[in-house]
Every structure is written in C-alpha cells, then in structure tokens.
C-alpha cells in the first residue's frame, strides 16, 4: 500500500473526528434512563435539623506534640490546643 498523501491524511482525520462526535452525541442522548422513584422513599428535611458546629481556634505558631501509641511524651501549649481540638472534632463526628 502506498503512503498516504497529506490530503488523504486530513480527510481521514476529519472522518475519524466526525465518527467520534457521533459516538459522543449518541452516548449523551442515550446514556441516562428514567426510572420510577420508590414510593416509600422519604427524603429528610435538612432545614429543620441543625448540624453540630465546632469553633476551632487558630493553629498556634509553636506546636510541640510527641505521642507514642496511647502515651503523650511531650506537649506544650500549642500542642494542647491541637490535641483538644482534634478530640472535640472526633467526638462530634461520632
């Protein structure tokens, strides 16, 4: 087979691009289905419930916190702030 000329290469590239667009349009038009919603499905009203909030202090400039397993080896005031904030956040998430 002879090598393609630049005109044939451009023509083939345009054909390939057109085929790809047809495939994309087909997927977009037929990719979704309509399904009935279960009659007993209840969506919770989130406006009446309030989520717990935690006001976290800013991260201190000097933090020293050394923890090995379940034992605190060394902590300063900044490390205490971080550790207490983590404990409160974890408690709210549970």
């Amino acid at each position: 087979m002879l090598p393609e000329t630049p005109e044939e290469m451009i023509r083939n590239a345009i054909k390939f691009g057109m085929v790809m667009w047809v495939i994309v349009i087909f997927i977009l038009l037929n990719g979704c289905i309509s399904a009935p919603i279960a009659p007993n499905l209840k969506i919770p009203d989130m406006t009446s419930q309030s989520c717990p909030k935690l006001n976290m202090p800013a991260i201190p400039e000097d933090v020293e916190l050394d923890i090995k397993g379940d034992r605190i080896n060394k902590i300063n005031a900044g490390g205490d702030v971080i550790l207490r904030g983590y404990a409160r956040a974890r408690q709210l998430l549970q």
Side-chain angles (χ1 to χ4, degrees):
M1 186 169 178
L2 296 174
E4 293 180 303
T5 64
E7 292 84 16
E8 289 175 336
M9 291 172 64
I10 292 172
R11 207 173 304 124
N12 288 340
I14 291 172
K15 287 179 189 177
F16 178 75
M18 290 173 57
V19 168
M20 293 305 293
W21 273 111
V22 168
I23 291 171
V24 168
I25 290 171
F26 178 77
I27 290 172
L28 289 176
L29 292 178
N30 295 318
C32 298
I33 62 166
S34 61
I37 296 175
N40 59 351
L41 181 65
K42 302 283 189 237
I43 298 174
D45 182 24
M46 297 304 286
T47 58
S48 64
Q49 297 175 350
S50 65
C51 295
K53 302 255 189 262
L54 177 62
N55 292 329
M56 296 287 290
I59 296 176
E61 290 289 323
D62 181 35
V63 175
E64 188 172 350
L65 185 59
D66 183 20
I67 300 174
K68 299 278 188 218
D70 61 347
R71 190 166 166 224
I72 298 173
N73 294 332
K74 192 185 281 186
I75 190 168
N76 68 355
D80 188 58
V81 169
I82 297 292
L83 186 59
R84 289 181 189 277
Y86 170 78
R88 280 185 261 147
R90 184 174 167 91
Q91 184 181 23
L92 283 176
L93 288 173
Q94 289 178 351

